[in-house]
Amino acid sequence: MDFTKEDRFDIFIKEFDEEDEIGEHFYWDVEESPIQGNCRRYNLPNFFERSIGNSFNEKDFSVDIKMNLLNSAVDELQEFFTLKSNQDKFPGVFSELFYSEKRIVEIVCEEGVKLGFWGCDEVPEKIYEIKDLNLQIPKIKFQWLFFVISSTKSYQGKDLKKLAQRFLKLKWTRSKAPIEIEVFIEAQERIRNFASILKKYEMAKYEGYNLSLNLFCFNQVTNLLDLVQIFNGRDEKNLRDFKLVEIIELEGEATKSRFICGMRDGEVLHDENTLLKFNWIFSECRMLLKNEFEYEATIENYELPNEIATAYVTYKNLQNDSTYDDRLLKDFLKLCDVENKIGSQEFENFGMLYKEIYRKNKRGF
């Protein structure tokens, strides 16, 4: 993304202390347009205070960068191990990341029964038909991909990512109210189902799961976390100010959540380029952290090919970083038992906001 010289952002990273975590050392300066020959500088928290009217939380920002990087790293590793030859060359890493095919079928069948998605005699045939089912479900993202299976079991397709993109994104219908109500009900059911899955595994971190990453994946595809957070606590008047919806373009689930919770009277964007600039900063800081892991990969002796060395180092550093747990995850888990009644004013408002976020996605960010 290109900015003019006057609108440039200089991004720095402080030196590291051995005992400190890497994510706590980002530091940002913003260079404004010169005014009467002077150039004013101020830090990123003040920039957002001035631009959006919300305080900026550096911890949230670094958490979001970590989750973003971790997700990309897991995707890279997944792609690498689709080749049988790579599985054979690096069996230790492969078994660290994935279950065996037999084991993943057992887990999906058993857990689906426990969670009430199907009965003992009603396990979908689809589970036995999906190609390389275990490769599509790395251990760390088990909850998200299990949710994909349970939510798309009646649809054709053997690639879980494609199924999620096609069927779990917000959708709409040109039909009249009765069908539209079904769309809203399905959205709320999916929110509750995914919350119930995460809740079941809340205390199972020793299994190698990362619930923060799973929540990140859920919202990246569905935008349902965005929807419920914008919806909660706002009256009909404010919900009709669809400038609220612009906030879904923001990178980072924790940062986005912080801004949504702090929005006042629908006034989100005082500067229409604010989110664009923020996402550019996010991308640059993400690259800074990735560079640190690239450097670590050159000095660690994992004996892995260059194409996945950085991804594996990223995974090893961030796999246990469940830093959404303190606030974002706990709030989401409360949605297990939340349901708006059909025909209520709240339900109508939910549908109104749902439709606008759908339109925003359809137009593109």
Side-chain angles (χ1 to χ4, degrees):
M1 185 175 302
D2 296 325
F3 293 108
T4 64
K5 181 178 180 182
E6 290 75 23
D7 199 22
R8 157 174 102 246
F9 288 73
D10 293 325
I11 302 175
F12 303 95
I13 190 165
K14 291 182 178 179
E15 292 184 1
F16 291 75
D17 295 324
E18 291 184 0
E19 296 180 1
D20 293 332
E21 290 191 19
I22 191 168
E24 298 176 358
H25 289 278
F26 288 117
Y27 179 81
W28 311 271
D29 272 1
V30 181
E31 186 172 320
E32 273 201 314
S33 303
I35 300 175
Q36 296 180 349
N38 297 320
C39 190
R40 296 185 301 171
R41 300 178 70 83
Y42 51 98
N43 61 27
L44 193 59
N46 289 339
F47 165 69
F48 277 98
E49 181 105 14
R50 179 173 177 272
S51 301
I52 299 183
N54 295 94
S55 60
F56 175 79
N57 186 290
E58 295 187 23
K59 180 181 178 182
D60 283 345
F61 188 74
S62 63
V63 164
D64 286 330
I65 289 172
K66 291 176 182 179
M67 286 300 106
N68 189 293
L69 264 182
L70 178 58
N71 186 58
S72 296
V74 172
D75 284 347
E76 288 179 39
L77 293 166
Q78 230 175 320
E79 181 66 26
F80 178 80
F81 281 110
T82 56
L83 293 178
K84 183 67 165 60
S85 59
N86 289 334
Q87 299 172 28
D88 295 337
K89 286 179 185 176
F90 309 101
V93 177
F94 179 72
S95 62
E96 177 185 359
L97 295 170
F98 302 96
Y99 295 104
S100 67
E101 182 81 18
K102 179 181 178 181
R103 182 59 184 144
I104 197 64
V105 170
E106 290 175 352
I107 293 174
V108 171
C109 293
E110 292 169 4
E111 296 306 312
V113 172
K114 291 178 183 177
L115 287 163
F117 291 129
W118 45 72
C120 294
D121 300 325
E122 301 170 336
V123 176
E125 288 293 324
K126 181 188 187 105
I127 292 172
Y128 305 99
E129 298 170 353
I130 294 177
K131 181 181 178 182
D132 297 326
L133 178 61
N134 65 319
L135 293 178
Q136 298 193 49
I137 307 186
K139 294 177 183 179
I140 196 170
K141 290 167 64 168
F142 172 73
Q143 288 73 34
W144 159 239
L145 290 173
F146 177 66
F147 172 75
V148 175
I149 291 177
S150 63
S151 301
T152 63
K153 58 182 183 288
S154 60
Y155 298 112
Q156 294 296 317
K158 298 183 179 181
D159 186 311
L160 296 185
K161 284 189 177 180
K162 290 180 180 178
L163 283 168
Q165 290 292 325
R166 183 175 180 186
F167 297 111
L168 299 186
K169 282 180 172 291
L170 299 185
K171 59 184 179 181
W172 196 243
T173 173
R174 294 181 181 177
S175 301
K176 293 185 179 180
I179 304 300
E180 293 176 355
I181 286 174
E182 291 177 12
V183 172
F184 304 152
I185 292 173
E186 184 177 45
Q188 292 184 318
E189 181 179 356
R190 284 178 177 169
I191 292 169
R192 291 194 302 275
N193 284 350
F194 189 63
S196 68
I197 290 173
L198 292 189
K199 193 171 184 64
K200 176 175 176 55
Y201 291 97
E202 191 176 8
M203 305 307 294
K205 296 178 184 177
Y206 61 88
E207 295 283 353
Y209 306 137
N210 186 312
L211 301 192
S212 295
L213 178 62
N214 281 269
L215 183 58
F216 171 90
C217 294
F218 174 78
N219 198 51
Q220 287 286 298
V221 172
T222 69
N223 286 117
L224 289 174
L225 177 60
D226 295 334
L227 192 155
V228 296
Q229 288 189 114
I230 295 174
F231 177 75
N232 287 339
R234 288 185 172 78
D235 58 28
E236 182 179 1
K237 178 183 175 182
N238 288 340
L239 285 172
R240 290 189 180 278
D241 182 353
F242 288 128
K243 286 175 66 179
L244 283 166
V245 177
E246 301 297 322
I247 202 74
I248 69 173
E249 296 183 37
L250 194 72
E251 291 277 10
E253 310 313 312
T255 299
K256 189 189 305 185
S257 170
R258 184 81 63 178
F259 287 162
I260 289 172
C261 294
M263 289 188 299
R264 297 190 296 268
D265 300 325
E267 294 181 5
V268 185
L269 306 176
H270 301 310
D271 172 4
E272 62 181 9
N273 292 317
T274 295
L275 298 184
L276 191 69
K277 294 173 182 177
F278 174 90
N279 287 345
W280 184 82
I281 294 173
F282 186 95
S283 177
E284 291 296 303
C285 289
R286 181 185 183 278
M287 184 57 65
L288 286 172
L289 183 55
K290 185 176 181 180
N291 289 343
E292 293 296 321
F293 293 139
E294 283 182 356
Y295 173 72
E296 183 178 332
T298 64
I299 60 177
E300 293 286 350
N301 186 25
Y302 287 118
E303 297 183 352
L304 293 173
N306 290 336
E307 60 187 297
I308 63 161
T310 299
Y312 185 68
V313 167
T314 302
Y315 166 78
K316 293 297 285 185
N317 275 277
L318 302 180
Q319 62 179 318
N320 296 318
D321 204 317
S322 299
T323 38
Y324 287 165
D325 292 6
D326 293 342
R327 178 177 60 88
L328 196 60
L329 186 59
K330 290 187 183 301
D331 287 346
F332 185 76
L333 294 180
K334 295 175 184 176
L335 299 175
C336 289
D337 304 316
V338 174
E339 182 174 6
N340 293 318
K341 295 180 180 180
I342 300 173
S344 69
Q345 184 63 52
E346 291 78 14
F347 189 85
E348 292 175 16
N349 290 342
F350 179 89
M352 175 180 63
L353 182 61
Y354 178 107
K355 183 186 286 189
E356 193 58 26
I357 294 179
Y358 164 81
R359 287 172 175 167
K360 180 67 178 174
N361 275 326
K362 198 73 171 175
R363 292 193 299 268
F365 294 140

